[in-house]
């Protein structure tokens, strides 16, 4: 039985005092969460240390939204895996479509980051997904295959245990357009098959695959009812404690 994960990607939202407010509201709501669900939050860097202190006495787990692939050095503006660990992060989102499309991150760069995160004992939430044009051109599976192959290049089966995959169709992120449960399940199933081919069938059975893209309390239950959808990576709806808790309870 795979674990359920509901993850909230705050993106570039919430200053320090707003972060404190959201976490305290969330803590009281998450206290009664279903036992088989892990709740992860990904606040901005500036709130991580405080978030770590505030969530210590709760079941909420903490991650960052990105990191640099080097150990340290002259990389103005960047943050290393070791720095994230030192403020209590356990997870890191890598390859989010906004990093790929706005900041030009390539599959090769994302692969370097994934390997560095694993080396440093941070669990990557590895994001993949096709654009609307790619879907309309009928090449969704090719895009997903290539992202999985390149992103996980050199990642061993043992290391894969620590990787969470997030399927986020780019056309569904922040647009209010969710993939239908059937559309999402089709790709999740395909990703599991890719993992089976690349690794093994136990690896495919074990790997956690989240869906992301306009997940809300109203659509979460039907998405999460699909066999290969193990949880959600939530953007907009995680910025309010009520709606995030709605998804957790769904
Ligand atoms: P959204 O974002 O829920 O606002 O669509 C999801 C994500 O980018 O992870």
């Amino acid at each position: 039985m795979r674990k359920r994960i509901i993850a909230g990607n705050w993106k570039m939202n919430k200053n320090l005092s707003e972060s404190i407010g959201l976490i305290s509201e969330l803590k009281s709501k998450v206290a009664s969460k279903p036992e088989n669900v892990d709740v992860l939050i990904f606040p901005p860097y500036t709130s991580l240390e405080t978030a770590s202190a505030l969530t210590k006495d709760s079941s909420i787990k903490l991650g960052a939204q990105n990191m640099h692939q080097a150990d340290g050095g002259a990389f103005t503006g960047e943050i290393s895996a070791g720095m994230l660990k030192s403020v209590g992060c356990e997870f890191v989102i890598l390859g989010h479509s906004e990093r790929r499309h706005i900041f030009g991150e390539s599959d090769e760069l994302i692969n370097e980051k994934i390997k560095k995160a694993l080396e440093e004992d941070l669990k990557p939430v590895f994001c993949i997904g096709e654009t609307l044009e790619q879907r309309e051109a009928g090449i969704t599976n090719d895009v997903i295959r290539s992202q999985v192959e390149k992103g996980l290049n050199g990642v061993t089966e043992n290391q894969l245990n620590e990787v969470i995959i997030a399927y986020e169709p780019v056309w569904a992120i922040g647009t209010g357009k969710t993939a239908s449960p059937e559309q999402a399940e089709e790709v999740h199933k395909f990703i599991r098959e890719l993992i089976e081919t690349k690794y093994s069938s136990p690896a495919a059975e074990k790997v956690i695959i989240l869906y992301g893209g306009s997940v809300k309390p109203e659509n979460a239950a039907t998405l999460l009812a699909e066999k290969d959808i193990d949880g959600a990576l939530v953007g907009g709806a995680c910025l309010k404690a009520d709606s995030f808790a709605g998804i957790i309870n769904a």
Side-chain angles (χ1 to χ4, degrees), residues 66-231:
N66 183 32
M67 55 165 246
H68 193 272
Q69 67 279 14
D71 290 323
F75 300 103
T76 303
E78 294 294 326
I79 302 277
S80 73
M83 291 169 185
L84 296 180
K85 289 279 290 184
S86 76
V87 294
C89 287
E90 199 183 327
F91 299 86
V92 60
I93 297 175
L94 294 173
H96 189 276
S97 77
E98 285 147 20
R99 298 301 317 173
R100 291 176 187 265
H101 298 289
I102 305 174
F103 301 99
E105 291 196 8
S106 66
D107 290 308
E108 290 70 24
L109 176 66
I110 294 159
N111 174 247
E112 277 188 62
K113 292 186 179 195
I114 289 175
K115 287 193 288 200
K116 176 53 73 180
L118 289 166
E119 230 177 86
E120 298 289 327
D121 280 332
L122 274 175
K123 300 183 175 97
V125 177
F126 167 40
C127 303
I128 53 177
E130 82 287 1
T131 63
L132 185 59
E133 278 147 47
Q134 291 165 331
R135 175 161 282 263
E136 284 173 347
I139 56 167
T140 297
N141 284 2
D142 299 330
V143 172
I144 297 293
R145 182 187 298 109
S146 154
Q147 289 174 339
V148 167
E149 268 167 16
K150 292 179 181 158
L152 296 180
N153 183 31
V155 172
T156 66
E157 181 160 340
N158 214 15
Q159 289 177 313
L160 186 74
N161 283 328
E162 308 301 316
V163 178
I164 296 166
I165 297 176
Y167 168 57
E168 300 202 301
V170 180
W171 48 273
I173 295 178
T175 58
K177 274 192 224 158
T178 325
S180 68
E182 298 74 27
Q183 277 175 323
E185 170 61 19
E186 201 182 331
V187 180
H188 279 239
K189 186 165 175 282
F190 178 66
I191 295 167
R192 223 176 276 290
E193 285 163 10
L194 290 173
I195 297 297
E196 180 169 4
T197 313
K198 185 173 166 61
Y199 294 95
S200 68
S201 73
E205 202 40 56
K206 246 193 276 171
V207 69
I208 292 174
I209 311 176
L210 311 181
Y211 169 80
S214 300
V215 177
K216 305 184 243 325
E218 300 77 45
N219 60 26
T222 50
L223 284 159
L224 294 166
E226 295 291 338
K227 183 171 155 283
D228 291 296
I229 302 182
D230 304 315

